[in-house]
Structure formats: structure tokens, C-alpha cells
Amino acid sequence: MRKVIADEWMTLDGVIQAPGQANEDTAGGFQHGGWHVGYFDDLAQRWVVESVVKAGGFLLGRRTYEIFAAHWPNASEAEQVLAEPLNTKPKYVASRTLAEPLAWQNSTVLQDDVGEAVAALKQEDGQDLHVIGSSELVQTLVAHDLVDEFRVMIDPVVVGGGKRLFRDDGALRPLRLLDSQMTTTGVIIATYAPAEA
């Protein structure tokens, strides 16, 4: 059985929307796209590369899939350390609008119920599945108790609103800290797992 690991760049107030570029995701009038860029250092870079390289495959929401599919197949030589695993490893896409075949190599649309599809993928042999970004997908997986680890890069910035890692649903979900470290820019990189009941 393999794990589902959520890899997220997050603000101190829990927002994961549009960390990389100003126009990445302006849904809901979000105006702070690119908030993460100034906090990246060598430690953060190594953390990202290690997560992507060690993944057995990726779970992506439609919007994240479309952003990645437009960029990574045409990535620069300097980006190949990330592009190669992202391009070649299996990608499972949660979407109600995309249909097979998907243009980005090794990409498959998750059919029917996403919770059931991911639960079935977890039962397969192989390396862990990593979710990157994909706020709605992560929230769905959390609601179905399918996330085994949250690996978050928490930036020392508050954006005051936007798509968050966790839904505002009133549910209590205790977590336990597995690992933590701090970057030169004040970012906390932490790994959490659901606490035992």
C-alpha cells in the first residue's frame, strides 16, 4: 500500500492559491499571486526536488494539471531536474470536464468518484503518490481521510484570503509533527501526519 502525500506551499494563514506567479490563479479576485517566490532558497529547492523525484506519481486537480501541462513539457534545461520526473511519471487528474486522451504524457483522468479512485490507487504497489497544489482535490482527499502526510512549506506572510489547504468545515483533525526545518528566509518546512485516534 502506498501513501498519499500533499506537498503544499502555504501562507501563514493557510492559503495555497497562486504561490508562483501573479496571474497563476486569480479566482475569487485573488490579487497576491506569486507570494512564495521571494521565500525560495537552496533548502527549499532541495525539498521540492526531493519530493518530486521520490514520488511514484502525482495526483492533480484540473487547474494545476493545465498549468503544469502547459509548462513542464517545454521546460528549460535548468528545470530538467523537475521536468523529467513530472513529465515521465504517472499523473492522475481529478476533473469533471477533461476527457481522455490527455495531451500531457502519462496522464489519466480519474474516473467516477475521486475518493474511490484514489483509495484504489493507494492499494496498488509502488512509490507514494504526491498531490501538488490542487486545493479542491486536497480538500476532497482530506474529507475522505485519504491523505497520509502533509508536507508544507509555510511562508512568513499573510494574504488575508484565498484558497486554503483545509476547508472551513468545523471538523477537528489532530495532526502529529514528523519533521521540521527552517530556511534562511524564515520559511518553516514541516511534515505532519494524521494523529492516531
Side-chain angles (χ1 to χ4, degrees):
M1 186 168 163
R2 53 189 176 172
K3 295 178 181 177
V4 168
I5 298 169
D7 294 323
E8 300 293 345
W9 299 348
M10 188 171 75
T11 66
L12 191 59
D13 54 342
V15 174
I16 61 174
Q17 184 172 355
Q21 299 175 8
N23 62 351
E24 181 178 338
D25 180 1
T26 58
F30 190 71
Q31 298 179 8
H32 303 297
W35 50 264
H36 178 68
V37 177
Y39 296 105
F40 226 68
D41 71 352
D42 289 343
L43 176 60
Q45 177 71 26
R46 283 193 305 273
W47 180 82
V48 170
V49 170
E50 182 177 308
S51 292
V52 170
V53 168
K54 287 186 176 180
F58 305 97
L59 298 168
L60 303 171
R62 180 196 51 83
R63 185 184 308 271
T64 302
Y65 168 81
E66 289 176 341
I67 291 169
F68 281 18
H71 177 77
W72 291 111
N74 306 303
S76 69
E77 188 62 36
E79 296 173 303
Q80 287 305 307
V81 67
L82 290 173
E84 192 275 332
L86 285 167
N87 286 327
T88 59
K89 293 184 180 190
K91 292 161 286 288
Y92 305 96
V93 185
S95 174
R96 292 180 287 274
T97 57
L98 295 177
E100 304 275 350
L102 295 177
W104 194 14
Q105 67 180 350
N106 300 319
S107 298
T108 305
V109 175
L110 293 174
Q111 300 297 322
D112 304 317
D113 181 271
V114 170
E116 289 179 11
V118 172
L121 287 170
K122 285 182 69 166
Q123 296 301 317
E124 295 177 358
D125 291 331
Q127 294 171 290
D128 298 332
L129 298 169
H130 288 239
V131 187
I132 302 173
S134 309
S135 60
E136 288 183 38
L137 174 58
V138 171
Q139 291 176 352
T140 298
L141 298 177
V142 168
H144 287 88
D145 296 321
L146 291 170
V147 179
D148 299 287
E149 289 183 11
F150 299 93
R151 295 182 183 172
V152 292
M153 194 179 309
I154 306 166
D155 290 357
V157 64
V158 173
V159 295
K163 296 176 183 176
R164 298 181 187 279
L165 178 56
F166 298 102
R167 285 185 180 140
D168 187 10
D169 61 5
L172 180 66
R173 294 185 175 90
L175 303 173
R176 58 190 169 91
L177 181 66
L178 301 181
D179 184 56
S180 66
Q181 50 192 322
M182 184 176 291
T183 72
T184 60
T185 60
V187 172
I188 298 169
I189 297 176
T191 301
Y192 296 93
E196 298 300 325

